[in-house]
Each structure stands twice: as C-alpha cells, then as structure tokens.
C-alpha cells in the first residue's frame, strides 16, 4: 500500500469570521516542499473572499485527472516505441446539480499529441487513450465520468 499526503493550512487573519466575510485563501504544501496558493473558486465564493489567482479544488481535480491520464498515455506510447514530442490537454470539468447535490459530473480531456516522425493511426491513438484511462489511478478512484475528446 502507498500513501500520499498534503498539508492544507489556513489562517483567519484580520477581520470578521462569523459573518462569512473571511478570506478563503490557503496553502497546499506537498512533501517535496512545493507550496501552492489555493482558494475557494470565485464561482462559489464571491470576491474578495475567494482569491481568483489561486488554484481552487475544482481546478486541481480536473488537472489531477488530466495529469494522471497523460502520464499513463506517455508511458504506454514509450513502451510501444512511439516518440512523443509534446502533449497538451485543454481539460474541462463540468459542475452541476444531480440528485440535489453539486458535483463535478464530467471531465473532458482534449489531448493534442505531437509525435516525432510518423504519428500513429487515429485507431491506435484512441486505443492508447482507452488503455491510459483504464490504468489511471485517479480515474479508477472517482465516480466522475471522464471523457477523452480527440476532436
């Protein structure tokens, strides 16, 4: 079994609290020493209480799913002898209310892969994305539907 951890820290600072007028800005600190400024999304908490330039949990969720998928795709491509020069994914998460609860119901991955030399067939690329999805630890851990769009 492997464990993963992150430290999430927040401090009230100046001002009130019980009236809801407090900053949602906080910090995620990871074991390698990286600290990431985080906040509630301005879609959920109005400015100035949300910090628009910070990463919010919903964005991080979409990025984590995209990153996991990409890492498995690159690994599979390397095992098949394909050389990938770049991989860019314009991933999008869709939040909606289902059965009275707000949730990220769908994540669309839109990877654009550039290969050195001849690119694989569309069929091969789709197969690799399907395999990457099946292997992704995070995709296997959530009930969010995750779609890969190769438009």
């Amino acid at each position: 079994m492997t464990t993963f951890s992150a430290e999430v820290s927040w401090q009230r600072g100046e001002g009130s609290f019980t009236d809801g007028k407090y900053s949602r800005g906080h910090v995620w600190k990871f074991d390698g020493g990286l600290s990431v400024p985080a906040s509630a999304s301005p879609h959920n908490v109005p400015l100035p209480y949300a910090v628009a330039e910070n990463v919010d949990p919903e964005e991080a969720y979409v990025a984590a799913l995209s990153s996991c998928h990409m890492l498995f795709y690159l690994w599979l491509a390397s095992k098949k002898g394909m050389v990938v020069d770049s991989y860019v994914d314009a991933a999008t998460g869709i939040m909606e209310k289902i059965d009275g609860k707000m949730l990220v119901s769908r994540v669309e991955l839109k990877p654009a892969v550039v290969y050195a030399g001849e690119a694989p067939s569309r069929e091969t690329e789709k197969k690799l994305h399907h395999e990457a999805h099946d292997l992704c630890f995070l995709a296997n851990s959530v009930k969010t539907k995750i779609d890969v769009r190769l438009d």
Side-chain angles (χ1 to χ4, degrees):
M1 182 172 83
T2 305
T3 60
F4 302 92
S5 62
E7 178 185 286
V8 177
S9 61
W10 172 88
Q11 290 194 347
R12 180 173 54 86
E14 299 295 320
S16 60
F17 182 78
T18 57
D19 62 0
K21 295 180 179 180
Y22 58 90
S23 174
R24 277 25 172 229
H26 57 283
V27 176
W28 298 340
K29 187 172 182 181
F30 298 95
D31 60 3
L34 181 66
S35 292
V36 176
S39 175
S41 170
H43 296 288
N44 301 321
V45 175
L47 299 173
Y49 309 112
V51 184
E53 60 271 14
N54 291 9
V55 176
D56 63 62
E58 297 82 3
E59 292 170 325
Y61 180 69
V62 171
L65 289 167
S66 173
S67 181
C68 183
H69 181 91
M70 177 198 70
L71 291 168
F72 274 108
Y73 186 89
L74 295 175
W75 178 75
L76 289 167
S78 75
K79 293 296 182 194
K80 297 209 179 283
M82 293 187 254
V83 179
V84 175
D85 280 340
S86 67
Y87 182 113
V88 177
D89 184 4
T92 305
I94 292 87
M95 183 180 282
E96 61 185 329
K97 188 178 268 190
I98 297 178
D99 296 330
K101 294 182 181 182
M102 291 298 294
L103 66 133
V104 178
S105 61
R106 188 170 73 249
V107 172
E108 291 182 355
L109 308 181
K110 299 174 205 108
V113 184
V114 176
Y115 303 88
E118 187 176 339
S121 69
R122 190 65 145 185
E123 185 177 310
T124 298
E125 198 172 32
K126 284 181 179 182
K127 183 179 176 193
L128 286 175
H129 280 294
H130 181 76
E131 288 179 52
H133 176 74
D134 285 345
L135 291 170
C136 175
F137 309 135
L138 297 180
N140 291 330
S141 301
V142 298
K143 66 180 181 178
T144 299
K145 184 175 189 286
I146 302 164
D147 294 324
V148 178
R149 303 277 183 194
L150 297 176
D151 302 328

Short mmCIF file of all heavy atoms in Angstrom, two decimals, residues 26-89:
data_model
loop_
_atom_site.label_atom_id
_atom_site.label_comp_id
_atom_site.label_asym_id
_atom_site.label_seq_id
_atom_site.Cartn_x
_atom_site.Cartn_y
_atom_site.Cartn_z
N HIS A 26 -5.73 29.92 1.07
CA HIS A 26 -4.99 28.99 1.92
C HIS A 26 -3.82 28.41 1.12
O HIS A 26 -3.60 28.81 -0.01
CB HIS A 26 -5.91 27.89 2.48
CG HIS A 26 -6.63 27.09 1.44
ND1 HIS A 26 -7.74 27.55 0.75
CD2 HIS A 26 -6.40 25.84 0.95
CE1 HIS A 26 -8.17 26.62 -0.09
NE2 HIS A 26 -7.36 25.57 -0.01
N VAL A 27 -3.08 27.50 1.70
CA VAL A 27 -1.88 26.96 1.05
C VAL A 27 -1.91 25.44 1.09
O VAL A 27 -2.25 24.84 2.13
CB VAL A 27 -0.60 27.48 1.74
CG1 VAL A 27 0.65 26.84 1.14
CG2 VAL A 27 -0.51 28.99 1.65
N TRP A 28 -1.56 24.84 -0.04
CA TRP A 28 -1.33 23.39 -0.11
C TRP A 28 0.17 23.19 -0.10
O TRP A 28 0.88 23.77 -0.92
CB TRP A 28 -1.88 22.80 -1.40
CG TRP A 28 -3.36 22.92 -1.62
CD1 TRP A 28 -4.32 23.16 -0.69
CD2 TRP A 28 -4.03 22.81 -2.87
NE1 TRP A 28 -5.55 23.20 -1.28
CE2 TRP A 28 -5.40 22.98 -2.64
CE3 TRP A 28 -3.61 22.58 -4.16
CZ2 TRP A 28 -6.34 22.93 -3.64
CZ3 TRP A 28 -4.55 22.53 -5.17
CH2 TRP A 28 -5.91 22.69 -4.90
N LYS A 29 0.67 22.38 0.80
CA LYS A 29 2.10 22.10 0.85
C LYS A 29 2.30 20.61 0.64
O LYS A 29 1.67 19.79 1.31
CB LYS A 29 2.71 22.54 2.19
CG LYS A 29 4.22 22.42 2.21
CD LYS A 29 4.81 23.03 3.45
CE LYS A 29 6.32 22.92 3.39
NZ LYS A 29 6.94 23.47 4.58
N PHE A 30 3.20 20.28 -0.28
CA PHE A 30 3.44 18.89 -0.65
C PHE A 30 4.78 18.41 -0.12
O PHE A 30 5.65 19.22 0.21
CB PHE A 30 3.33 18.73 -2.17
CG PHE A 30 1.95 19.09 -2.68
CD1 PHE A 30 1.68 20.36 -3.15
CD2 PHE A 30 0.93 18.16 -2.63
CE1 PHE A 30 0.40 20.70 -3.60
CE2 PHE A 30 -0.35 18.48 -3.07
CZ PHE A 30 -0.61 19.75 -3.55
N ASP A 31 4.95 17.10 -0.05
CA ASP A 31 6.12 16.50 0.60
C ASP A 31 7.44 16.89 -0.05
O ASP A 31 8.48 16.86 0.59
CB ASP A 31 5.99 14.99 0.72
CG ASP A 31 5.83 14.28 -0.61
OD1 ASP A 31 5.87 14.94 -1.67
OD2 ASP A 31 5.66 13.05 -0.59
N GLY A 32 7.43 17.26 -1.30
CA GLY A 32 8.66 17.69 -1.96
C GLY A 32 9.04 19.13 -1.63
O GLY A 32 10.07 19.61 -2.07
N GLY A 33 8.20 19.81 -0.88
CA GLY A 33 8.49 21.17 -0.46
C GLY A 33 7.72 22.24 -1.22
O GLY A 33 7.76 23.41 -0.85
N LEU A 34 7.02 21.87 -2.29
CA LEU A 34 6.28 22.86 -3.07
C LEU A 34 5.05 23.33 -2.31
O LEU A 34 4.31 22.52 -1.74
CB LEU A 34 5.84 22.25 -4.41
CG LEU A 34 5.06 23.18 -5.34
CD1 LEU A 34 5.95 24.33 -5.82
CD2 LEU A 34 4.52 22.40 -6.52
N SER A 35 4.85 24.64 -2.30
CA SER A 35 3.65 25.23 -1.72
C SER A 35 2.84 25.87 -2.84
O SER A 35 3.39 26.58 -3.69
CB SER A 35 4.01 26.30 -0.69
OG SER A 35 4.61 25.71 0.43
N VAL A 36 1.55 25.60 -2.85
CA VAL A 36 0.66 26.11 -3.90
C VAL A 36 -0.42 26.95 -3.25
O VAL A 36 -1.15 26.46 -2.38
CB VAL A 36 0.01 24.94 -4.69
CG1 VAL A 36 -0.98 25.46 -5.71
CG2 VAL A 36 1.08 24.07 -5.34
N PRO A 37 -0.54 28.22 -3.66
CA PRO A 37 -1.63 29.05 -3.14
C PRO A 37 -2.97 28.53 -3.66
O PRO A 37 -3.14 28.29 -4.85
CB PRO A 37 -1.34 30.44 -3.71
CG PRO A 37 0.04 30.39 -4.27
CD PRO A 37 0.33 28.95 -4.57
N ALA A 38 -3.90 28.34 -2.76
CA ALA A 38 -5.21 27.78 -3.11
C ALA A 38 -6.31 28.67 -2.54
O ALA A 38 -6.06 29.55 -1.72
CB ALA A 38 -5.33 26.36 -2.57
N SER A 39 -7.52 28.43 -3.00
CA SER A 39 -8.67 29.21 -2.55
C SER A 39 -9.94 28.51 -2.97
O SER A 39 -9.91 27.62 -3.83
CB SER A 39 -8.64 30.60 -3.19
OG SER A 39 -9.81 31.34 -2.86
N ALA A 40 -11.04 28.93 -2.40
CA ALA A 40 -12.33 28.55 -2.95
C ALA A 40 -12.45 29.19 -4.33
O ALA A 40 -11.83 30.21 -4.62
CB ALA A 40 -13.46 29.04 -2.06
N SER A 41 -13.23 28.60 -5.19
CA SER A 41 -13.46 29.16 -6.52
C SER A 41 -14.30 30.42 -6.44
O SER A 41 -15.27 30.46 -5.67
CB SER A 41 -14.19 28.13 -7.39
OG SER A 41 -14.61 28.73 -8.60
N PRO A 42 -13.96 31.44 -7.23
CA PRO A 42 -14.82 32.63 -7.29
C PRO A 42 -16.22 32.31 -7.82
O PRO A 42 -17.13 33.11 -7.69
CB PRO A 42 -14.09 33.57 -8.25
CG PRO A 42 -12.68 33.08 -8.29
CD PRO A 42 -12.75 31.60 -8.02
N HIS A 43 -16.40 31.12 -8.43
CA HIS A 43 -17.73 30.69 -8.86
C HIS A 43 -18.60 30.32 -7.66
O HIS A 43 -19.82 30.32 -7.76
CB HIS A 43 -17.64 29.48 -9.79
CG HIS A 43 -16.95 29.78 -11.08
ND1 HIS A 43 -17.50 30.53 -12.08
CD2 HIS A 43 -15.71 29.43 -11.52
CE1 HIS A 43 -16.67 30.64 -13.09
NE2 HIS A 43 -15.56 29.98 -12.77
N ASN A 44 -17.94 29.97 -6.54
CA ASN A 44 -18.67 29.53 -5.35
C ASN A 44 -18.67 30.55 -4.22
O ASN A 44 -19.62 30.60 -3.44
CB ASN A 44 -18.07 28.22 -4.82
CG ASN A 44 -18.11 27.12 -5.84
OD1 ASN A 44 -19.08 27.00 -6.57
ND2 ASN A 44 -17.06 26.34 -5.90
N VAL A 45 -17.60 31.31 -4.11
CA VAL A 45 -17.45 32.31 -3.05
C VAL A 45 -17.11 33.64 -3.72
O VAL A 45 -16.16 33.71 -4.50
CB VAL A 45 -16.34 31.90 -2.06
CG1 VAL A 45 -16.11 33.00 -1.03
CG2 VAL A 45 -16.68 30.58 -1.38
N PRO A 46 -17.86 34.70 -3.43
CA PRO A 46 -17.61 35.96 -4.13
C PRO A 46 -16.25 36.58 -3.76
O PRO A 46 -15.73 36.37 -2.67
CB PRO A 46 -18.76 36.85 -3.67
CG PRO A 46 -19.22 36.26 -2.38
CD PRO A 46 -18.94 34.79 -2.46
N LEU A 47 -15.72 37.34 -4.73
CA LEU A 47 -14.53 38.14 -4.46
C LEU A 47 -14.92 39.24 -3.48
O LEU A 47 -16.05 39.68 -3.50
CB LEU A 47 -14.01 38.74 -5.77
CG LEU A 47 -13.59 37.74 -6.85
CD1 LEU A 47 -13.26 38.46 -8.15
CD2 LEU A 47 -12.40 36.91 -6.40
N PRO A 48 -14.12 39.69 -2.61
CA PRO A 48 -12.70 39.40 -2.44
C PRO A 48 -12.42 38.23 -1.49
O PRO A 48 -11.27 38.00 -1.13
CB PRO A 48 -12.17 40.71 -1.83
CG PRO A 48 -13.29 41.15 -0.94
CD PRO A 48 -14.55 40.76 -1.69
N TYR A 49 -13.44 37.47 -1.12
CA TYR A 49 -13.24 36.39 -0.14
C TYR A 49 -12.61 35.16 -0.78
O TYR A 49 -11.91 34.40 -0.12
CB TYR A 49 -14.55 36.06 0.57
CG TYR A 49 -15.19 37.32 1.10
CD1 TYR A 49 -16.37 37.80 0.57
CD2 TYR A 49 -14.55 38.06 2.09
CE1 TYR A 49 -16.93 38.99 1.03
CE2 TYR A 49 -15.11 39.25 2.55
CZ TYR A 49 -16.29 39.70 2.02
OH TYR A 49 -16.83 40.88 2.47
N ALA A 50 -12.85 34.96 -2.07
CA ALA A 50 -12.10 33.97 -2.85
C ALA A 50 -10.92 34.70 -3.46
O ALA A 50 -10.97 35.91 -3.69
CB ALA A 50 -12.97 33.37 -3.94
N VAL A 51 -9.86 33.98 -3.73
CA VAL A 51 -8.66 34.57 -4.35
C VAL A 51 -8.58 34.02 -5.76
O VAL A 51 -8.19 32.86 -5.97
CB VAL A 51 -7.39 34.25 -3.53
CG1 VAL A 51 -6.18 34.94 -4.13
CG2 VAL A 51 -7.57 34.63 -2.06
N ALA A 52 -8.97 34.84 -6.73
CA ALA A 52 -9.13 34.38 -8.12
C ALA A 52 -7.86 33.79 -8.71
O ALA A 52 -7.92 32.83 -9.49
CB ALA A 52 -9.64 35.53 -9.00
N GLU A 53 -6.69 34.33 -8.36
CA GLU A 53 -5.45 33.85 -8.97
C GLU A 53 -4.93 32.56 -8.34
O GLU A 53 -4.02 31.93 -8.88
CB GLU A 53 -4.35 34.93 -8.93
CG GLU A 53 -3.97 35.40 -7.56
CD GLU A 53 -4.81 36.57 -7.06
OE1 GLU A 53 -5.87 36.89 -7.63
OE2 GLU A 53 -4.41 37.17 -6.04
N ASN A 54 -5.51 32.13 -7.25
CA ASN A 54 -5.09 30.87 -6.62
C ASN A 54 -5.80 29.68 -7.26
O ASN A 54 -6.86 29.82 -7.86
CB ASN A 54 -5.39 30.89 -5.12
CG ASN A 54 -4.51 31.87 -4.37
OD1 ASN A 54 -3.79 32.67 -4.95
ND2 ASN A 54 -4.57 31.80 -3.05
N VAL A 55 -5.21 28.51 -7.10
CA VAL A 55 -5.81 27.27 -7.60
C VAL A 55 -6.97 26.90 -6.68
O VAL A 55 -6.84 26.95 -5.45
CB VAL A 55 -4.77 26.13 -7.61
CG1 VAL A 55 -5.41 24.82 -8.04
CG2 VAL A 55 -3.60 26.47 -8.51
N ASP A 56 -8.10 26.54 -7.28
CA ASP A 56 -9.21 26.08 -6.44
C ASP A 56 -9.33 24.56 -6.54
O ASP A 56 -8.78 23.96 -7.48
CB ASP A 56 -10.52 26.80 -6.78
CG ASP A 56 -11.02 26.55 -8.17
OD1 ASP A 56 -11.31 25.39 -8.51
OD2 ASP A 56 -11.14 27.53 -8.94
N PRO A 57 -9.99 23.91 -5.57
CA PRO A 57 -10.06 22.45 -5.57
C PRO A 57 -10.65 21.85 -6.84
O PRO A 57 -10.20 20.80 -7.29
CB PRO A 57 -10.95 22.14 -4.36
CG PRO A 57 -10.77 23.30 -3.45
CD PRO A 57 -10.61 24.49 -4.38
N GLU A 58 -11.62 22.54 -7.45
CA GLU A 58 -12.22 22.01 -8.67
C GLU A 58 -11.22 22.02 -9.82
O GLU A 58 -11.13 21.05 -10.59
CB GLU A 58 -13.47 22.81 -9.03
CG GLU A 58 -14.59 22.72 -7.99
CD GLU A 58 -14.44 23.67 -6.80
OE1 GLU A 58 -13.49 24.49 -6.76
OE2 GLU A 58 -15.28 23.60 -5.89
N GLU A 59 -10.45 23.10 -9.95
CA GLU A 59 -9.41 23.15 -10.98
C GLU A 59 -8.35 22.08 -10.73
O GLU A 59 -7.88 21.43 -11.66
CB GLU A 59 -8.71 24.52 -10.97
CG GLU A 59 -9.56 25.67 -11.42
CD GLU A 59 -8.90 27.01 -11.15
OE1 GLU A 59 -8.19 27.18 -10.13
OE2 GLU A 59 -9.09 27.92 -11.98
N ALA A 60 -7.97 21.92 -9.47
CA ALA A 60 -6.95 20.93 -9.13
C ALA A 60 -7.45 19.51 -9.44
O ALA A 60 -6.68 18.67 -9.90
CB ALA A 60 -6.57 21.04 -7.65
N TYR A 61 -8.71 19.27 -9.22
CA TYR A 61 -9.31 17.98 -9.51
C TYR A 61 -9.22 17.66 -11.00
O TYR A 61 -8.77 16.58 -11.40
CB TYR A 61 -10.77 18.01 -9.04
CG TYR A 61 -11.57 16.76 -9.25
CD1 TYR A 61 -11.30 15.61 -8.52
CD2 TYR A 61 -12.64 16.74 -10.15
CE1 TYR A 61 -12.07 14.47 -8.70
CE2 TYR A 61 -13.41 15.61 -10.31
CZ TYR A 61 -13.12 14.47 -9.59
OH TYR A 61 -13.88 13.35 -9.76
N VAL A 62 -9.59 18.64 -11.83
CA VAL A 62 -9.52 18.46 -13.28
C VAL A 62 -8.07 18.26 -13.71
O VAL A 62 -7.75 17.36 -14.50
CB VAL A 62 -10.17 19.66 -14.01
CG1 VAL A 62 -9.92 19.60 -15.52
CG2 VAL A 62 -11.67 19.71 -13.72
N ALA A 63 -7.17 19.08 -13.18
CA ALA A 63 -5.75 18.97 -13.53
C ALA A 63 -5.17 17.62 -13.10
O ALA A 63 -4.39 17.01 -13.84
CB ALA A 63 -4.95 20.11 -12.90
N ALA A 64 -5.55 17.14 -11.93
CA ALA A 64 -5.03 15.86 -11.44
C ALA A 64 -5.50 14.71 -12.34
O ALA A 64 -4.71 13.82 -12.68
CB ALA A 64 -5.47 15.62 -10.00
N LEU A 65 -6.76 14.72 -12.75
CA LEU A 65 -7.25 13.68 -13.64
C LEU A 65 -6.55 13.74 -15.00
O LEU A 65 -6.15 12.71 -15.55
CB LEU A 65 -8.77 13.80 -13.82
CG LEU A 65 -9.60 13.43 -12.60
CD1 LEU A 65 -11.04 13.89 -12.76
CD2 LEU A 65 -9.53 11.94 -12.32
N SER A 66 -6.37 14.95 -15.52
CA SER A 66 -5.69 15.12 -16.79
C SER A 66 -4.24 14.66 -16.70
O SER A 66 -3.74 13.96 -17.58
CB SER A 66 -5.75 16.59 -17.22
OG SER A 66 -4.95 16.80 -18.37
N SER A 67 -3.57 15.04 -15.64
CA SER A 67 -2.16 14.68 -15.45
C SER A 67 -1.98 13.17 -15.34
O SER A 67 -1.07 12.59 -15.95
CB SER A 67 -1.63 15.38 -14.19
OG SER A 67 -0.28 15.10 -13.97
N CYS A 68 -2.84 12.53 -14.56
CA CYS A 68 -2.77 11.07 -14.40
C CYS A 68 -2.94 10.37 -15.75
O CYS A 68 -2.16 9.48 -16.11
CB CYS A 68 -3.84 10.61 -13.41
SG CYS A 68 -3.81 8.84 -13.04
N HIS A 69 -3.93 10.81 -16.52
CA HIS A 69 -4.18 10.23 -17.83
C HIS A 69 -2.97 10.41 -18.74
O HIS A 69 -2.51 9.48 -19.40
CB HIS A 69 -5.43 10.85 -18.46
CG HIS A 69 -5.76 10.30 -19.80
ND1 HIS A 69 -6.61 9.23 -19.97
CD2 HIS A 69 -5.35 10.66 -21.04
CE1 HIS A 69 -6.71 8.95 -21.26
NE2 HIS A 69 -5.94 9.81 -21.93
N MET A 70 -2.43 11.64 -18.76
CA MET A 70 -1.29 11.95 -19.61
C MET A 70 -0.08 11.08 -19.26
O MET A 70 0.58 10.53 -20.15
CB MET A 70 -0.89 13.41 -19.49
CG MET A 70 0.35 13.77 -20.31
SD MET A 70 1.12 15.32 -19.81
CE MET A 70 1.80 14.85 -18.21
N LEU A 71 0.21 10.94 -17.98
CA LEU A 71 1.38 10.17 -17.56
C LEU A 71 1.27 8.71 -18.01
O LEU A 71 2.26 8.12 -18.46
CB LEU A 71 1.58 10.28 -16.05
CG LEU A 71 2.01 11.67 -15.59
CD1 LEU A 71 1.91 11.78 -14.08
CD2 LEU A 71 3.40 12.01 -16.09
N PHE A 72 0.08 8.14 -17.92
CA PHE A 72 -0.10 6.76 -18.40
C PHE A 72 -0.04 6.69 -19.92
O PHE A 72 0.51 5.75 -20.48
CB PHE A 72 -1.39 6.14 -17.87
CG PHE A 72 -1.20 5.53 -16.52
CD1 PHE A 72 -1.73 6.12 -15.38
CD2 PHE A 72 -0.46 4.36 -16.37
CE1 PHE A 72 -1.53 5.56 -14.13
CE2 PHE A 72 -0.26 3.78 -15.12
CZ PHE A 72 -0.79 4.39 -14.01
N TYR A 73 -0.58 7.70 -20.61
CA TYR A 73 -0.51 7.73 -22.07
C TYR A 73 0.95 7.77 -22.53
O TYR A 73 1.36 7.01 -23.42
CB TYR A 73 -1.28 8.92 -22.64
CG TYR A 73 -1.34 8.90 -24.15
CD1 TYR A 73 -2.37 8.24 -24.79
CD2 TYR A 73 -0.35 9.50 -24.92
CE1 TYR A 73 -2.42 8.18 -26.18
CE2 TYR A 73 -0.39 9.45 -26.30
CZ TYR A 73 -1.43 8.78 -26.93
OH TYR A 73 -1.48 8.72 -28.30
N LEU A 74 1.74 8.65 -21.94
CA LEU A 74 3.15 8.76 -22.30
C LEU A 74 3.89 7.45 -22.04
O LEU A 74 4.71 7.01 -22.84
CB LEU A 74 3.82 9.92 -21.54
CG LEU A 74 3.30 11.32 -21.87
CD1 LEU A 74 3.96 12.34 -20.95
CD2 LEU A 74 3.53 11.66 -23.33
N TRP A 75 3.60 6.82 -20.92
CA TRP A 75 4.24 5.54 -20.58
C TRP A 75 3.89 4.48 -21.62
O TRP A 75 4.77 3.76 -22.11
CB TRP A 75 3.82 5.11 -19.18
CG TRP A 75 4.38 3.80 -18.76
CD1 TRP A 75 5.66 3.53 -18.38
CD2 TRP A 75 3.67 2.56 -18.68
NE1 TRP A 75 5.80 2.20 -18.05
CE2 TRP A 75 4.59 1.58 -18.23
CE3 TRP A 75 2.35 2.18 -18.94
CZ2 TRP A 75 4.23 0.25 -18.04
CZ3 TRP A 75 1.99 0.87 -18.73
CH2 TRP A 75 2.93 -0.08 -18.30
N LEU A 76 2.61 4.39 -21.98
CA LEU A 76 2.18 3.41 -22.98
C LEU A 76 2.83 3.68 -24.34
O LEU A 76 3.29 2.75 -25.00
CB LEU A 76 0.65 3.41 -23.12
CG LEU A 76 -0.12 2.84 -21.94
CD1 LEU A 76 -1.60 3.19 -22.05
CD2 LEU A 76 0.08 1.34 -21.83
N ALA A 77 2.86 4.94 -24.75
CA ALA A 77 3.48 5.30 -26.03
C ALA A 77 4.95 4.92 -26.02
O ALA A 77 5.46 4.37 -27.01
CB ALA A 77 3.30 6.78 -26.31
N SER A 78 5.64 5.19 -24.93
CA SER A 78 7.07 4.86 -24.86
C SER A 78 7.28 3.36 -24.96
O SER A 78 8.23 2.90 -25.60
CB SER A 78 7.69 5.41 -23.57
OG SER A 78 7.33 4.65 -22.44
N LYS A 79 6.41 2.57 -24.35
CA LYS A 79 6.52 1.10 -24.39
C LYS A 79 6.29 0.56 -25.80
O LYS A 79 6.78 -0.50 -26.15
CB LYS A 79 5.53 0.44 -23.42
CG LYS A 79 5.82 0.70 -21.97
CD LYS A 79 7.15 0.09 -21.60
CE LYS A 79 7.45 0.30 -20.14
NZ LYS A 79 8.85 0.03 -19.83
N LYS A 80 5.53 1.33 -26.61
CA LYS A 80 5.25 0.90 -27.98
C LYS A 80 6.27 1.48 -28.96
O LYS A 80 6.12 1.32 -30.17
CB LYS A 80 3.83 1.30 -28.38
CG LYS A 80 2.77 0.62 -27.54
CD LYS A 80 1.50 0.43 -28.31
CE LYS A 80 0.44 -0.27 -27.49
NZ LYS A 80 0.65 -1.70 -27.36
N GLY A 81 7.28 2.17 -28.45
CA GLY A 81 8.33 2.71 -29.29
C GLY A 81 7.97 4.01 -30.00
O GLY A 81 8.68 4.45 -30.89
N MET A 82 6.86 4.63 -29.61
CA MET A 82 6.46 5.91 -30.20
C MET A 82 7.16 7.02 -29.43
O MET A 82 7.24 6.97 -28.21
CB MET A 82 4.95 6.10 -30.09
CG MET A 82 4.16 5.14 -30.94
SD MET A 82 2.43 5.59 -30.91
CE MET A 82 1.79 4.32 -29.85
N VAL A 83 7.65 8.01 -30.16
CA VAL A 83 8.31 9.15 -29.52
C VAL A 83 7.34 10.33 -29.52
O VAL A 83 6.94 10.81 -30.58
CB VAL A 83 9.62 9.52 -30.24
CG1 VAL A 83 10.28 10.72 -29.57
CG2 VAL A 83 10.57 8.32 -30.25
N VAL A 84 6.97 10.77 -28.33
CA VAL A 84 6.06 11.91 -28.18
C VAL A 84 6.91 13.15 -27.94
O VAL A 84 7.73 13.17 -27.03
CB VAL A 84 5.08 11.68 -27.01
CG1 VAL A 84 4.22 12.91 -26.78
CG2 VAL A 84 4.21 10.44 -27.26
N ASP A 85 6.70 14.17 -28.77
CA ASP A 85 7.41 15.44 -28.59
C ASP A 85 6.67 16.38 -27.64
O ASP A 85 7.29 17.11 -26.89
CB ASP A 85 7.60 16.15 -29.94
CG ASP A 85 8.76 15.58 -30.73
OD1 ASP A 85 9.64 14.93 -30.15
OD2 ASP A 85 8.78 15.80 -31.96
N SER A 86 5.34 16.37 -27.69
CA SER A 86 4.57 17.22 -26.78
C SER A 86 3.17 16.66 -26.58
O SER A 86 2.66 15.91 -27.42
CB SER A 86 4.48 18.66 -27.30
OG SER A 86 3.72 18.72 -28.48
N TYR A 87 2.59 17.03 -25.46
CA TYR A 87 1.25 16.60 -25.09
C TYR A 87 0.62 17.78 -24.37
O TYR A 87 1.13 18.21 -23.33
CB TYR A 87 1.34 15.38 -24.17
CG TYR A 87 0.02 14.77 -23.74
CD1 TYR A 87 -0.33 13.50 -24.16
CD2 TYR A 87 -0.84 15.42 -22.87
CE1 TYR A 87 -1.51 12.89 -23.73
CE2 TYR A 87 -2.02 14.84 -22.45
CZ TYR A 87 -2.35 13.57 -22.89
OH TYR A 87 -3.52 12.98 -22.47
N VAL A 88 -0.45 18.33 -24.92
CA VAL A 88 -1.15 19.45 -24.30
C VAL A 88 -2.62 19.07 -24.18
O VAL A 88 -3.23 18.65 -25.16
CB VAL A 88 -1.01 20.75 -25.14
CG1 VAL A 88 -1.80 21.89 -24.51
CG2 VAL A 88 0.46 21.12 -25.30
N ASP A 89 -3.16 19.20 -22.99
CA ASP A 89 -4.56 18.85 -22.76
C ASP A 89 -5.30 20.07 -22.24
O ASP A 89 -4.96 20.61 -21.19
CB ASP A 89 -4.66 17.71 -21.75
CG ASP A 89 -6.08 17.22 -21.53
OD1 ASP A 89 -7.00 17.72 -22.21
OD2 ASP A 89 -6.26 16.35 -20.67
#
